[in-house]
Structures are given as structure tokens and as C-alpha cells.
């Protein structure tokens, strides 16, 4: 037996995880397809019926392939996704890929900055709470973690908006930038912040950052609650581990025991947690975008839900789900690279 | 009596902060149960009432006077909506958690016991459902059910059932598989007990213990998802019941004109109830999970050891 395929070897593990993508994605695609097709009536008249003449409606149906047999539609949908074609919307006949290109950047900006904020705030607080268990500091941090996680993002968003409206009036509450910035900054990457930096327009950068702050803080607070809880629990567990006891027995100063034995080992599962948060981050982003009129994919999704546009909802949800599956499997692989215990 | 003692055992074993958390959680949840059960008597008006004694309610009235917490854009009394919202929330959550618990237990037991292709397919289906971001799954089901059977308590509960089912399934299936190999099950099978009996008499009692903790933690999560569905307009319609999430989505439009009372209270109710449920769940988890339980020093009895 060659070492490359021996059970427990890294390449074998990676291949296994990668192969898992196929049935997972296939199943998700089938699920979304079936769910969207069992819907009553026909999606075209549900969303644009009454607003267009019958001939135009029929044209839309033909273009969407709704007149084809179900199995043909299923095949078209699957092969479309394989070639990264998620179909067109019914209401304004835009390709989903176009929506992703135009609005994906805003979602990316929001999610990444929220994740960074959550890490910067959540990890230290979790470490402190775990280290000083059952002290007032622990209690306070835990309550903070539970409440920020308990508060729906749209509620945190509402409170933040009310606060800034009354205390820092004039601070931008909605949107990604002022119209002037949007107009003057040349579109290159479809990520407004990057575009503004590339253009070297200082005012535009500041404007975008000011708009970004409230949504990012709101979404970041939600995620940081989870980091606090899980980091704390990990620290508690590592502090009780035998190797910590052993380190203490060897006379290593408590400070060092906590730092290099307990904290360091507590951080390993946190990488996993970051991966698992992708789903929450995306869900949270959908709601945050709606709350702050942030022009991202989630905002688009909600607009199409309101318009009962099945094709658009199907396309965007499929994309989100596929992204989540891909990232979680990639994270699995990264963890296996870091931590050899996972492979066995 | 013995049952009561077993139920209360984890509580008596808790110490310090964990005990305080569990207590606080129970008090908060109990408060909302009282609101939900007694909504008719506690709320001054109905959830969709726009006038009383022939007098129309004012639109967007500030808190105070006849309307303790003011009125909203739809002329509804905010305090009454908050109270009735507790009933809607608890109805949906109880239905959803019970639904996913029962389904998850049944499917997990059968899948783990029977094994084979049946098990493999179910595991794949559940894994895929689990990999799906919960809110998106709830949106897909909410979107469909809203069209199919109308948005309401039942369709919201159904969407949440689907979302949380995989968690119970996984836990129950895995413990069923390990319990299946134990000697008592082997003995029962050797004596010729049919599958039904093995599952109900020998496996059920041995796999059920982890379910309640998942239940309380899920309930908190489910409430958040329900609020999000309401916020997206896929929850309960305002004339069918009071939905905190729906009221918040309305309140967001009011916020920019400085009207704060339409959303602040229903949002606070969501946060409080989720916090309460989380405290109960975490408190239970910390007392039941031996890894997290704080080690208490045992007193050594000198006399016995010497003798």
C-alpha cells in the first residue's frame, strides 16, 4: 500500500473531503429545485402577472424554460450551475451572475469587516472570561456575549440607528456611500472601498468607511457573542487538561502555564468555529443589509422575495448554499493541515 | 417523588454563577409564559384592535395616557402587541421544537437501528439540510409555505421544524448506533425481541438523555429565526397575530423620523426571551456536561482510610 492512500494520511483525507462536495452540492441543488418547483401556479404570473401582456408573459416563460418538461428543467438548472450560470430573474430578466458581480462586493466588504471586528473583540474577552471563571469579570463578559448573540441583528441595528440619530446626528445611517462618492469613484473591482482606495480619493474612502461602520459593528456584535462563548469553554477545558496539571507540577509559573499551555491549545478549535460561522455570517449579512439599506446580495434577495421572484430567490439561495458548503469543506482541510489529530 | 428528585438533581448540584444563571433564565422564561397564557387579561387591547369604545386609536401616539407604550403606524397598541407577541412566539417555538424533537427521535432511532442504505440516504439528506444556512432554509420553506398554506403559526413552525430536525437526528442516530452494540441489546435480540420492542424498550431510554439540552438551546435559536422570518415578511401577518419580528421591520421605517417606541419594546422582548432560554440551556448544559462541571473537592474521611 502506498503511503499516499494509507488510511489517516493527509492526501487521502483531503481527497475524501473534496469528493464530499459533489453529493452535498448536488443534494442542495436538487432540494432547492424541488422546493421551488412544487410552488403552486406558475412563477411568472405570480411575480409579474397583470403588469405585462399575456404574450410577454409567455415569452418570459419560454425564456425561463418553464414550458419544458420538469426533468429537462432540472437538467438545465444543474448544468447551468456547473458552468456558473445561475439563471435569470423573472421580474427584470437580469442574470443572477450580473447581480452577484454588482452586489457581491458590498456583501464581501460587510462580512469581512464584521468578522475581523468580532475576532478582535471576542477572542480576548473569551480568554479573560475563561481564565477568571466565576468572577464578576466572567459574569459580565458572559452576559455581554449572551445578550449580543440573543439580540437579532435588525434590533441591534435599530438601536444603533436611534443612538446615532439622537447623539451623533448627521452620521450616515443608510446605504454604502453618499451618491457623490458613488458617482465619482470609477468602478473597477465592484468593491467600493477598494475602488476608492485605488482612485486615491481620500474623501471617498472616509465616506465609505463612515457608512460601513454601523453595519459592520452591528453584524460583528452578533458574531462576537459566539466567539466569547466558545473561546471561554475551550479555555475552561484546556485549563482542566492533564498537560496543564503536568506543567504546573513541573513548577512552570502560572502565567506561562495559562499562556502557552492553556490558551494556545484553546485556540485550535477556534479556527473550526470561524469556518462554522460562515453560515451565520451570511444569514446575519442578509438581515443587516436590509436594516441598513446596504446594497449587497442579501438586500437583493429580500427585494426579490417581496416580488415573489422564484427564479431570483432560487439562484441567490443556491449560490449562498454552495458558497457555505465550499468554505466549510475548505476549512476542514485547513484544520487537518494544522492539527494532525483530525485526520485519524 | 423520586422523579421530582431526579429532575431537580442538576439544579441542586449547580454552584455559584451557573446556578444564578439557571435561576435567572427560569424566571425570565416563566414571565413570558405568564404573558402568553394570560394575554387576554394582561393586554389592554387585542393584537389587531384599532379602536376602543367607538373611539379610533391615534396613529403613532407617544407612550403614556391610554397607550402605555404608544401606538404604531397601523394604529395598534404597542404594549398589547408585545404581550400577544409572547403567545405567538411560544406557540411557534413549542410546536417547532416538539416537531423536530419527535421527528428527529423517531428517524434517528430507526435509522441508527436499521442501518444499511436507509441509514445512508437519511444521513446524506440530514447532512445537506444541516449544511444549509439555517436562515436561508427557513426562508425557502417560509417563502413556499406562505404561498401554499398561507403565512401563519403553523407554516412558521413547520419551516423551523425542518431547520432544527437534523441536529436531533444526528445526536439520536449516533447514540443509537453505539447503544445498538451493547450487550443488553444483543441479549434482547438473542431472546427474539422484534425490532419494535428493541427500539422502544431498550434503545429509547438510552438515547433520549441528550435531547432536552438541545431542545432548550434550539428554542432560543428558533425564536431568533422566527423573528428574522417576521422581519422579512414571511412570518405571521399582523391581522392573524402579533409578531415581534414583523413589528420591528415596520419600526425600522419609523426610526429615521425619530419614532423609537414602535420597535424598542418588541425587540427588547425578543432579546429577553432568547436570553432567558439561552440561560436555561447553558445552565443545564454546564451542570449536565461533565467536562464543564466544576470539580468540587471531596472531603476525605480520615477514619475510614486509616482503618
Amino acid at each position: 500500500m502506498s503511503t499516499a492512500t494509507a488510511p489517516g494520511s493527509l492526501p487521502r483525507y483531503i481527497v475524501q473531503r473534496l469528493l464530499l462536495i459533489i453529493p452535498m452540492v448536488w443534494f442542495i441543488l436538487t432540494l432547492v429545485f424541488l422546493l421551488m418547483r412544487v410552488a403552486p401556479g406558475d412563477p411568472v404570473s405570480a411575480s409579474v402577472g397583470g403588469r405585462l401582456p399575456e404574450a410577454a408573459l409567455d415569452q418570459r416563460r419560454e425564456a425561463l424554460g418553464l414550458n419544458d418538461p420538469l426533468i429537462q428543467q432540472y437538467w438545465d438548472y444543474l448544468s447551468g450551475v456547473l458552468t456558473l450560470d445561475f439563471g435569470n430573474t423573472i421580474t427584470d430578466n437580469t442574470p443572477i451572475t450580473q447581480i452577484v458581480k454588482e452586489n457581491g462586493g458590498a456583501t464581501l466588504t460587510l462580512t469581512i469587516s464584521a468578522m475581523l471586528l468580532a475576532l478582535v473583540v471576542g477572542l480576548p474577552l473569551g480568554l479573560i472570561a475563561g481564565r477568571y471563571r466565576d468572577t464578576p469579570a466572567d459574569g459580565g463578559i458572559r452576559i455581554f456575549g449572551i445578550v449580543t448573540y440573543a439580540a437579532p441583528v435588525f434590533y441591534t441595528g435599530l438601536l444603533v440607528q436611534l443612538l446615532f440619530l439622537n447623539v451623533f446626528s448627521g452620521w450616515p445611517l443608510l446605504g454604502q456611500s453618499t451618491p457623490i462618492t458613488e458617482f465619482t469613484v470609477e468602478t473597477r473591482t465592484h468593491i467600493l472601498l477598494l475602488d476608492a482606495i485605488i482612485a486615491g480619493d481620500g474623501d471617498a474612502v472616509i465616506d465609505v468607511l463612515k457608512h460601513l461602520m454601523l453595519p459592520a459593528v452591528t453584524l460583528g456584535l452578533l458574531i462576537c457573542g459566539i466567539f466569547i462563548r466558545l473561546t471561554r469553554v475551550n479555555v475552561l477545558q484546556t485549563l482542566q487538561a492533564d498537560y496543564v496539571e503536568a506543567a504546573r507540577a513541573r513548577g512552570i509559573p502560572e502565567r506561562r502555564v495559562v499562556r502557552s499551555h492553556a490558551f494556545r491549545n484553546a485556540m485550535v478549535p477556534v479556527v473550526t468555529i470561524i469556518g462554522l460561522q460562515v453560515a451565520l455570517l451570511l444569514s446575519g449579512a442578509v438581515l443587516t443589509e436590509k436594516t441598513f439599506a446596504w446594497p449587497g446580495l442579501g438586500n437583493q434577495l429580500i427585494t426579490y422575495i417581496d416580488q415573489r421572484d422564484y427564479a431570483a430567490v432560487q439562484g441567490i439561495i443556491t449560490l449562498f448554499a454552495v458558497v457555505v458548503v465550499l468554505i466549510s469543506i475548505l476549512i476542514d482541510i485547513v484544520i487537518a493541515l494544522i492539527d494532525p489529530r483530525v485526520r485519524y | 417523588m423520586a422523579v421530582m428528585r431526579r429532575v431537580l438533581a442538576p439544579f441542586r448540584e449547580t454552584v455559584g454563577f451557573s446556578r444564578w444563571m439557571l435561576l435567572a433564565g427560569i424566571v425570565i422564561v416563566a414571565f413570558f409564559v405568564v404573558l402568553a397564557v394570560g394575554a387576554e387579561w394582561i393586554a389592554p387591547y387585542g393584537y389587531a384592535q384599532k379602536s376602543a369604545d367607538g373611539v379610533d386609536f391615534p396613529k403613532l401616539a407617544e407612550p403614556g395616557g391610554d397607550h402605555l407604550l404608544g401606538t404604531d403606524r397601523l394604529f395598534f397598541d404597542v404594549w398589547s402587541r408585545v404581550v400577544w407577541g409572547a403567545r405567538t412566539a411560544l406557540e411557534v417555538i413549542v410546536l417547532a421544537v416538539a416537531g423536530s424533537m419527535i421527528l428527529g427521535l423517531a428517524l434517528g432511532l430507526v435509522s441508527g437501528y436499521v442501518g444499511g442504505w436507509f441509514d445512508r440516504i437519511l444521513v446524506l439528506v440530514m447532512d445537506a439540510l444541516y449544511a444549509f444556512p439555517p436562515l436561508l432554509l427557513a426562508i425557502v420553506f417560509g417563502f413556499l409555505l406562505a404561498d401554499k398554506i398561507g403565512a401563519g403559526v403553523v407554516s412558521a413552525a413547520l419551516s423551523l421544524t425542518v431547520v432544527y430536525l437534523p441536529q436531533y437526528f444526528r445526536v439520536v442516530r449516533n447514540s443509537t448506533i453505539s447503544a445498538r452494540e451493547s450487550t443488553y441489546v444483543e441479549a434482547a435480540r438473542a431472546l427474539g425481541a422484534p425490532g419494535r420492542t428493541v427500539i422502544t424498550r431498550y434503545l429509547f431510554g438510552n438515547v433520549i438523555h441528550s435531547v432536552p439540552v438541545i431542545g432548550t438551546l434550539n428554542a432560543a435559536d428558533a425564536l431568533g429565526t422566527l423573528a428574522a422570518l417576521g422581519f422579512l415578511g414571511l412570518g405571521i401577518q399582523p391581522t392573524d397575530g402579533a409578531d415581534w419580528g414583523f413589528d420591528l421591520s415596520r419600526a425600522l421605517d419609523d426610526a429615521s423620523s425619530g419614532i423609537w417606541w414602535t420597535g424598542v419594546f418588541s425587540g427588547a422582548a425578543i432579546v429577553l426571551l432568547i436570553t432567558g432560554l439561552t440561560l436555561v440551556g447553558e445552565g443545564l448544559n454546564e451542570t449536565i456536561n461533565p467536562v464543564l462541571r466544576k470539580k468540587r473537592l471531596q472531603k476525605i474521611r480520615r477514619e475510614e482510610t486509616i482503618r
Side-chain angles (χ1 to χ4, degrees):
Chain A
M1 196 196 282
S2 74
T3 47
T5 52
S9 79
L10 187 58
R12 187 190 162 102
Y13 179 82
I14 292 177
V15 170
Q16 270 177 355
R17 299 306 296 176
L18 287 177
L19 282 179
L20 192 64
I21 294 177
I22 299 167
M24 290 285 259
V25 168
W26 172 73
F27 186 81
I28 285 175
L29 293 180
T30 311
L31 185 76
V32 175
F33 177 81
L34 286 178
L35 286 174
M36 288 303 177
R37 283 299 181 276
V38 295
D42 105 88
V44 171
S45 31
S47 62
V48 286
R51 279 191 278 144
L52 289 174
E54 190 53 42
L57 288 183
D58 216 50
Q59 210 180 344
R60 281 280 163 88
R61 276 185 210 115
E62 192 58 48
L64 287 162
L66 289 175
N67 294 337
D68 296 335
L70 204 60
I71 192 82
Q72 175 74 35
Q73 290 184 38
Y74 179 57
W75 176 249
D76 287 345
Y77 169 62
L78 283 189
S79 48
V81 171
L82 276 184
T83 54
L84 294 179
D85 171 12
F86 292 86
N88 287 17
T89 64
I90 300 174
T91 36
D92 42 14
N93 207 16
T94 323
I96 304 290
T97 38
Q98 173 92 16
I99 298 173
V100 172
K101 202 174 139 198
E102 279 169 15
N103 302 90
T107 302
L108 215 58
T109 315
L110 174 63
T111 46
I112 290 177
S113 32
M115 184 59 110
L116 288 178
L117 266 172
L119 281 172
V120 169
V121 177
L123 294 188
L125 285 181
L127 291 176
I128 294 169
R131 171 72 183 81
Y132 300 103
R133 182 179 192 181
D134 283 343
T135 60
D138 177 29
I141 291 172
R142 283 178 86 183
I143 300 272
F144 174 77
I146 290 175
V147 171
T148 49
Y149 182 61
V153 272
F154 41 89
Y155 185 52
T156 317
L158 176 76
L159 293 182
V160 166
Q161 284 185 14
L162 285 170
L163 177 78
F164 273 74
L165 196 70
N166 291 314
V167 183
F168 307 97
S169 53
W171 191 277
L173 298 179
L174 302 176
Q176 191 181 206
S177 68
T178 51
I180 300 170
T181 308
E182 192 106 23
F183 189 71
T184 50
V185 173
E186 192 191 338
T187 306
R188 273 176 242 224
T189 55
H190 286 281
I191 299 171
L192 193 56
L193 185 59
L194 269 187
D195 285 345
I197 294 172
I198 292 172
D201 186 343
D203 290 344
V205 173
I206 290 171
D207 181 51
V208 176
L209 284 178
K210 268 174 102 173
H211 279 81
L212 176 62
M213 196 185 91
L214 298 188
V217 166
T218 303
L219 184 54
L221 274 179
L222 173 82
I223 314 280
C224 101
I226 294 189
F227 284 133
I228 293 177
R229 275 162 79 172
L230 294 170
T231 315
R232 176 179 174 276
V233 169
N234 285 333
V235 171
L236 290 185
Q237 292 189 354
T238 51
L239 276 176
Q240 288 184 359
D242 292 338
Y243 53 80
V244 168
E245 202 107 322
R248 283 202 186 111
R250 272 183 274 128
I252 295 171
E254 184 68 16
R255 261 184 86 88
R256 266 200 67 196
V257 171
V258 170
R259 244 197 222 160
S260 24
H261 294 256
F263 282 3
R264 189 176 277 205
N265 280 297
M267 295 316 286
V268 176
V270 172
V271 184
T272 328
I273 298 159
I274 296 176
L276 290 177
Q277 292 330 306
V278 174
L280 180 75
L281 194 63
L282 267 183
S283 312
V286 171
L287 299 169
T288 312
E289 285 175 9
K290 163 89 172 156
T291 310
F292 288 95
W294 187 261
L297 281 176
N299 213 347
Q300 291 292 323
L301 174 66
I302 294 169
T303 313
Y304 287 118
I305 286 179
D306 287 343
Q307 295 173 347
R308 303 270 139 199
D309 188 329
Y310 277 82
V313 173
Q314 177 177 333
I316 297 176
I317 295 254
T318 307
L319 181 87
F320 274 171
V322 171
V323 166
V324 169
V325 168
L326 289 183
I327 292 181
S328 60
I329 287 179
L330 282 180
I331 294 272
D332 275 357
I333 293 174
V334 171
I335 291 163
L337 290 173
I338 301 173
D339 184 358
R341 280 174 298 184
V342 177
R343 282 173 245 155
Y344 296 97
Chain B
M1 197 58 215
V3 176
M4 275 305 284
R5 209 175 298 149
R6 259 187 80 183
V7 171
L8 290 176
F11 183 71
R12 278 192 287 112
E13 280 167 21
T14 54
V15 278
F17 191 64
S18 302
R19 169 176 246 173
W20 184 85
M21 273 180 39
L22 191 55
L23 241 181
I26 291 171
V27 169
I28 294 173
V29 175
F31 170 72
F32 280 99
V33 171
V34 170
L35 281 193
V37 174
E40 276 96 345
W41 300 282
I42 297 168
Y45 308 105
Y47 51 78
Q49 195 177 336
K50 294 182 179 194
S51 61
D53 307 324
V55 183
D56 286 350
F57 291 166
K59 183 180 180 181
L60 291 170
E62 286 199 35
D66 281 345
H67 303 283
L68 191 62
L69 304 180
T71 59
D72 66 11
R73 194 170 284 273
L74 298 168
F75 304 92
F76 298 147
D77 178 60
V78 174
W79 166 235
S80 305
R81 296 276 299 175
V82 170
V83 175
W84 284 101
R87 173 171 293 184
T88 314
L90 288 176
E91 268 175 7
V92 174
I93 287 171
V94 167
L95 277 178
V97 170
S100 46
M101 228 183 229
I102 293 167
L103 263 178
L105 248 177
L107 288 177
L109 274 169
V110 173
S111 185
Y113 183 71
V114 174
W117 61 267
F118 179 74
D119 180 47
R120 283 188 183 196
I121 290 178
L122 262 183
V123 168
L124 181 69
V125 172
M126 292 293 169
D127 274 359
L129 280 181
Y130 191 69
F132 218 99
L135 180 66
L136 294 187
L137 195 59
I139 288 178
V140 171
F141 275 90
F143 186 60
L144 284 175
L145 292 171
D147 259 12
K148 200 130 200 168
I149 58 175
V153 170
V154 177
S155 60
L158 272 177
S159 332
L160 295 179
T161 300
V162 179
V163 173
Y164 295 103
L165 176 61
Q167 299 183 19
Y168 298 95
F169 173 82
R170 286 175 134 196
V171 170
V172 171
R173 175 189 167 270
N174 291 342
S175 34
T176 304
I177 285 181
S178 55
R180 189 181 63 180
E181 306 305 328
S182 53
T183 34
Y184 57 85
V185 172
E186 206 183 323
R189 286 166 85 178
L191 285 170
R196 248 183 91 99
T197 319
V198 174
I199 290 179
T200 50
R201 288 201 51 183
Y202 296 91
L203 292 177
F204 182 76
N206 285 296
V207 300
I208 198 173
H209 52 83
S210 48
V211 171
V213 176
I214 312 179
T216 37
L217 288 175
N218 267 348
D221 229 51
L223 180 58
T225 312
L226 172 68
L229 281 181
F231 179 73
L232 298 177
L234 296 169
I236 287 98
Q237 295 309 301
T239 43
D240 298 341
D243 185 341
W244 292 331
F246 176 86
D247 289 356
L248 267 173
S249 73
R250 285 300 162 98
L252 209 57
D253 300 334
D254 303 334
S256 44
S257 40
I259 293 161
W260 54 273
W261 59 88
T262 50
V264 167
F265 302 110
S266 22
I270 300 177
V271 177
L272 208 58
L273 183 50
I274 294 185
T275 306
L277 289 167
T278 312
L279 287 175
V280 173
E282 281 217 342
L284 282 181
N285 197 17
E286 203 146 306
T287 51
I288 290 172
N289 185 350
V291 185
L292 296 178
R293 204 177 328 176
K294 202 171 178 181
K295 284 177 195 160
R296 260 201 280 185
L297 293 174
Q298 297 279 318
K299 271 190 186 156
I300 300 167
R301 291 210 202 125
R302 266 284 162 81
E303 314 91 294
E304 280 177 24
T305 35
I306 293 168
R307 232 186 297 156

